[in-house]
Amino acid sequence: MFAAEVNVPQMFTAYAEDRGYPSRLHHYQYFCEECDQVFAAAWGRKTGCMGWFERGNYFYCPNCSEKHEKHVVCIQHPAWSPNKVRLSVKTYKTSVVLEVTCTTLQFTDFQVVTRGKSKEVFRFDIAKQAVTFSRSDNGCETEPMEIGNPFKLEILDKSILEFFMPGSMAVTNQRAELVKLLRTLREAVRGKLEKHLGHKVSSMHASPGQRHGLFLLPILNMAYRVMFPDAPNLPAIYREIPATIQRFWEMKMISEHGYMDDIIKLIKYKGDFVKAMVDAGSLPDRPAVRKILSEDPFEFSRLTEAFALCRNYDYAVRLYSGLKAFKIESSYMGMIRDLVQFLRGMLPLYGEAGAVCLVEEADKRYLQDCVRLYHGLTDENRQALQAERVKLSDLHDWMARTHRKQNHVNLKFNVPDHIVRRLSMQTDRLKFFMPAESMELLEAGAELHNCVASYGGAMKDNNKWIVLVADERGKLAACLEVRGKELLQAKVDRNRLVASDPVLNREVLAWAKEAGLVIKTKDVEPPAVATAAG
């Protein structure tokens, strides 16, 4: 039976396609919906609902003089774009169906437009706890695909519902109707799921955000919850573009997504989402583990890594907490993989208690430096680390010292001149300068008793820059780490903070201000804090 229906008489006033000519200006062709006129023009950048204007925010049709301002969509060949759309929600005994039928438009050649018809069906099969999506364009059907796996985002760019963006006439003029239909769909799915399971199911509402249109994220979330009724809704990060979602997974230490297929298979037999995750990860079925997974299923990988490293339950839980708190630079996602390998290498030397200590005291143990240094050691020196039984408190310094002793291939740096001019400076007492080759970093690391020599690759690639600070006698006083326009580290001898020397702290702050750097470290104290401390 019909539960809801919305008819959209018009999605856009005009359509645009970038012809992709190799020029500073994009050459577009347009289709005016008012008079069916096709025409071409050159614009600086994209236009419309899924783009923007550069030369003003509107244009006129040369045939009918219709002004096109807000409701213009930029589409890519051979995509079909919707015009008139009919959405309907139908309920059956054990299923709920969302049907989307529409007339469509496609640029098939230069100034040639073809109209067609499309139909999409989202079938929520409650009895099987499965959701499928199928689509046909002009009678040509695609193979139905199952949706709901949170690691499979294809639906976000395969459905015509992606055009229900804020710039469409449908969302501008009929938002209340569309939201009501979406709510009807959500309540129908939730109601039948509760009847099927015999217990209440928490709210399935998920805010759509701005990236995927009004419907797609809520539908993906409903499909996810039909598969996993006991799980929380998808996190807010899913409102962002797929690349941002991918980084979210990586930050959660999720490098392989196949485990979700195993969980989907298990849940058909287990019924309990958390129990399926526990079994898939060979995790202990204990309250703390269940609580973590029920609150955030995306913690699965961090948990399994922790319990794979530590057999002792208490150590594993502490290691998980440490991994969760450990801050990873978004520009160095490989650190996550390297960190796990490093901890695995430390287990024979320090045991589970030592591995936990390294992560819990990450700042004190210079954990990020340790990981980078460890992976920079030769196999011979890694064996020497095990043979010498280096104390945990000496680990960082031992690896830094050994790293310097390894066969050093001198790297010449080619730092852009404008960076050298900006970061180099001479004051009455100090000289701020940049090394020209990695041998200088090696010598600086030896003099300051730190691991600055390991930054040679980053300096060569201009990912980060090291600025050395020498006093009036030429003796090194500090080394500074810069990325872009950010000061990331400021250390004196043996990795002590520049802030520990008030005079040096003041001069480094003055240098950073002159160089236009933003302070992104607690290694230096701003003037107000330094004054209060005094």
Side-chain angles (χ1 to χ4, degrees):
M1 60 174 283
F2 276 96
E5 180 178 293
V6 174
N7 287 288
V8 179
Q10 188 174 354
M11 286 286 290
F12 305 102
T13 65
Y15 301 79
E17 182 192 39
D18 185 354
R19 298 294 294 172
Y21 294 130
S23 166
R24 289 186 64 230
L25 293 176
H26 291 264
H27 290 257
Y28 280 84
Q29 61 175 336
Y30 298 93
F31 176 77
C32 175
E33 186 66 26
E34 182 69 19
C35 66
D36 291 354
Q37 177 71 28
V38 186
F39 57 98
W43 291 80
R45 296 167 75 179
K46 291 182 179 179
T47 62
C49 164
M50 292 179 167
W52 56 90
F53 295 104
E54 184 183 65
R55 299 185 175 184
N57 59 357
Y58 62 88
F59 63 92
Y60 290 93
C61 172
N63 183 55
C64 68
S65 300
E66 178 75 12
K67 181 181 179 180
H68 298 287
E69 187 170 5
K70 296 179 180 178
H71 308 304
V72 181
V73 65
C74 182
I75 57 178
Q76 293 182 341
H77 184 79
W80 290 93
S81 179
N83 186 14
K84 296 179 176 64
V85 183
R86 176 175 174 267
L87 303 101
S88 58
V89 176
K90 300 177 182 179
T91 59
Y92 301 93
K93 184 176 181 180
T94 60
S95 64
V96 181
V97 173
L98 171 64
E99 285 188 1
V100 185
T101 57
C102 57
T103 58
T104 53
L105 178 147
Q106 180 192 56
F107 289 99
T108 51
D109 204 342
F110 183 62
Q111 297 198 17
V112 177
V113 170
T114 301
R115 289 189 180 273
K117 292 183 179 180
S118 290
K119 180 178 180 179
E120 295 183 354
V121 177
F122 295 85
R123 183 175 299 278
F124 296 79
D125 191 331
I126 305 302
K128 295 180 180 179
Q129 286 186 234
V131 182
T132 57
F133 164 77
S134 60
R135 174 172 175 171
S136 65
D137 291 303
N138 303 314
C140 182
E141 295 188 10
T142 59
E143 190 72 23
M145 59 181 286
E146 190 166 352
I147 61 175
N149 185 329
F151 298 115
K152 295 182 178 180
L153 305 178
E154 295 89 344
I155 189 62
L156 298 180
D157 59 16
K158 284 186 178 294
S159 171
I160 213 151
L161 291 178
E162 69 172 321
F163 288 93
F164 280 78
M165 303 294 286
S168 68
M169 294 178 71
V171 174
T172 300
N173 301 331
Q174 297 177 260
R175 183 180 179 88
E177 293 178 75
L178 297 172
V179 169
K180 184 177 180 182
L181 178 137
L182 185 59
R183 183 169 58 248
T184 299
L185 173 66
R186 185 170 61 245
E187 290 176 351
V189 169
R190 183 183 176 196
K192 289 191 178 293
L193 186 60
E194 288 181 340
K195 184 176 180 181
H196 171 70
L197 297 172
H199 62 74
K200 291 289 184 182
V201 173
S202 61
S203 171
M204 291 182 170
H205 178 267
S207 175
Q210 301 290 318
R211 298 286 186 177
H212 310 299
L214 188 63
F215 288 100
L216 286 178
L217 181 54
I219 287 174
L220 177 61
N221 183 67
M222 281 185 269
Y224 170 65
R225 292 293 308 284
V226 167
M227 278 187 175
F228 312 121
D230 300 326
N233 292 321
L234 292 173
I237 195 70
Y238 272 73
R239 301 173 194 168
E240 304 300 327
I241 60 175
T244 302
I245 301 172
Q246 178 74 36
R247 286 195 293 273
F248 164 77
W249 297 337
E250 292 170 346
M251 294 295 287
K252 294 280 192 177
M253 301 185 76
I254 301 170
S255 56
E256 298 293 336
H257 307 151
Y259 75 84
M260 187 56 72
D261 293 326
D262 296 333
I263 293 172
I264 291 171
K265 292 175 184 176
L266 282 170
I267 201 169
K268 295 182 185 297
Y269 303 101
K270 303 288 182 181
D272 183 341
F273 175 52
V274 173
K275 176 61 175 171
M277 297 192 82
V278 165
D279 290 351
S282 300
L283 296 168
D285 193 356
R286 296 179 63 171
V289 173
R290 278 186 159 269
K291 184 175 186 295
I292 292 167
L293 292 175
S294 63
E295 291 177 351
D296 187 353
F298 292 93
E299 290 296 319
F300 176 84
S301 288
R302 269 200 282 242
L303 267 176
T304 54
E305 290 287 4
F307 278 93
L309 287 165
C310 294
R311 294 185 179 183
N312 179 282
Y313 176 81
D314 292 329
Y315 281 146
V317 172
R318 286 173 58 189
L319 183 63
Y320 158 75
S321 298
L323 291 173
K324 185 177 180 181
F326 185 59
K327 302 300 181 184
I328 305 291
E329 294 180 24
S330 60
S331 60
Y332 183 20
M333 298 311 301
M335 171 66 78
I336 296 172
R337 179 190 63 252
D338 292 348
L339 171 63
V340 173
Q341 293 176 356
F342 167 73
L343 292 174
R344 193 172 288 121
M346 295 299 102
L347 283 172
L349 193 58
Y350 303 116
E352 295 181 3
V356 171
C357 181
L358 278 166
V359 175
E360 286 184 335
E361 301 178 359
D363 292 339
K364 179 181 177 182
R365 304 293 176 186
Y366 310 112
L367 183 56
Q368 292 212 25
D369 279 349
C370 284
V371 174
R372 184 173 56 251
L373 287 166
Y374 179 77
H375 285 279
L377 294 177
T378 63
D379 290 341
E380 182 181 0
N381 280 329
R382 288 191 191 184
Q383 293 172 8
L385 174 64
Q386 300 287 338
E388 291 185 30
R389 310 297 295 179
V390 177
K391 292 181 180 180
L392 185 62
S393 57
D394 297 333
L395 177 63
H396 175 271
D397 290 347
W398 186 95
M399 287 198 295
R401 187 168 58 252
T402 304
H403 194 278
R404 289 194 296 269
K405 290 179 180 179
Q406 289 181 177
N407 294 332
H408 182 74
V409 178
N410 195 31
L411 302 175
K412 299 290 184 180
F413 303 148
N414 187 25
V415 181
D417 289 341
H418 71 278
I419 299 295
V420 175
R421 289 194 298 271
R422 178 161 63 89
L423 299 182
S424 300
M425 191 180 305
Q426 179 78 52
T427 69
D428 291 340
R429 201 180 74 88
L430 298 176
K431 178 182 180 182
F432 294 80
F433 65 99
M434 301 184 72
E437 57 185 29
S438 60
M439 188 62 72
E440 292 183 58
L441 287 182
L442 188 69
E443 294 170 355
E447 186 170 345
L448 293 174
H449 305 95
N450 62 25
C451 64
V452 72
S454 64
Y455 283 79
M459 278 283 289
K460 183 177 182 297
D461 295 337
N462 282 308
N463 292 327
K464 293 180 180 178
W465 300 295
I466 297 298
V467 178
L468 300 176
V469 186
D471 61 21
E472 64 273 12
R473 298 171 297 171
K475 180 178 175 58
L476 284 183
C479 63
L480 316 171
E481 178 188 346
V482 176
R483 181 181 64 204
K485 292 188 176 181
E486 298 177 341
L487 177 62
L488 300 183
Q489 290 194 76
K491 303 290 197 223
V492 294
D493 188 37
R494 300 187 186 278
N495 277 313
R496 290 181 294 113
L497 310 185
V498 162
S500 63
D501 183 332
V503 175
L504 183 59
N505 181 79
R506 185 167 58 251
E507 297 198 45
V508 168
L509 283 172
W511 163 82
K513 182 178 180 181
E514 181 69 21
L517 298 179
V518 178
I519 306 298
K520 290 289 185 178
T521 177
K522 294 181 180 179
D523 294 351
V524 293
E525 290 184 356
V529 176
T531 301

